[in-house]
Amino acid sequence: MAITGTRLFVAAEVLTAANVNQFLMRGVKVFADAATRDAAYGGAGEPTLEEGEVCYLISTNQVLAYDGAAWQAVGASPESDQNILATQVFS
């Protein structure tokens, strides 16, 4: 289930597991290294990796975003003066 948009919950509304997964399971996931990160997706009972996922790797001190095909570094590029900006589009 893709994480899309935002939602305004109302008082006394039943909070379902689907709502938690869809709207509340956001944030930057922290992993020891790339192998640990990769092992956390796609197995039985694990989330499916989707475009727009963001993670932090302790081993390399990097924030990465998944572009649908590969993990890409987010932030200043050490090879140039350009910055890579990450944006999220809500539908």
Side-chain angles (χ1 to χ4, degrees), residues 24-55:
L24 302 178
M25 296 297 288
R26 296 181 178 221
V28 177
K29 297 166 187 78
V30 178
F31 298 99
D33 54 34
T36 305
R37 175 204 59 208
D38 295 345
Y41 291 98
E46 295 172 344
T48 303
L49 184 58
E50 297 184 28
E51 184 174 359
E53 294 276 347
V54 177
C55 76

Side-chain angles (χ1 to χ4, degrees), residues 5-80:
T6 59
R7 179 175 173 150
L8 178 62
F9 292 95
V10 297
E13 178 179 0
V14 174
L15 183 61
T16 65
N19 284 339
V20 171
N21 292 335
Q22 182 73 17
F23 299 103
L24 302 178
M25 296 297 288
R26 296 181 178 221
V28 177
K29 297 166 187 78
V30 178
F31 298 99
D33 54 34
T36 305
R37 175 204 59 208
D38 295 345
Y41 291 98
E46 295 172 344
T48 303
L49 184 58
E50 297 184 28
E51 184 174 359
E53 294 276 347
V54 177
C55 76
Y56 173 77
L57 299 181
I58 295 169
S59 63
T60 59
N61 193 31
Q62 283 185 300
V63 176
L64 303 160
Y66 189 70
D67 68 6
W71 289 97
Q72 303 294 332
V74 175
S77 172
E79 293 80 31
S80 71

